[in-house]
Amino acid sequence: MSNASIDEIQELIQKLSGELGEMSEAASRHIDDLHVAVNNVASHVLAIEAILALVAQKVEIDDAAAIQWIRDKTAAYAEDGNEGSAAEGIAQSLLGKEES
């Protein structure tokens, strides 16, 4: 192999290394952006839960109707109709009820 071929291979490896580094930095920025977005959504959900929990203390809510509404909306995705979903547990918690 000639020196020119080796130099060419080294140049290609350095170029590839630089491109992989740029891709890694872009992925890292994307992950940071996703983390901020998820944190933002979680904060909004927590605020809404706090308000709804207080409303549920003052307004009569049909627990069974709320659970049925969740089951109707999630039926296509339910794995086992006998087991309560996470959403049902959250609803019961917001309504101040224990899971059954």
Side-chain angles (χ1 to χ4, degrees), residues 24-72:
S24 175
E25 289 174 15
S28 180
R29 284 191 303 273
H30 185 63
I31 288 171
D32 289 344
D33 291 345
L34 287 175
H35 176 75
V36 169
V38 167
N39 209 10
N40 194 12
V41 169
S43 296
H44 280 80
V45 168
L46 185 58
I48 291 167
E49 283 183 16
I51 292 166
L52 287 177
L54 293 172
V55 169
Q57 291 175 2
K58 300 192 181 292
V59 176
E60 187 174 325
I61 296 172
D62 183 348
D63 302 354
I67 298 302
Q68 189 59 52
W69 187 92
I70 291 169
R71 288 180 181 166
D72 291 346

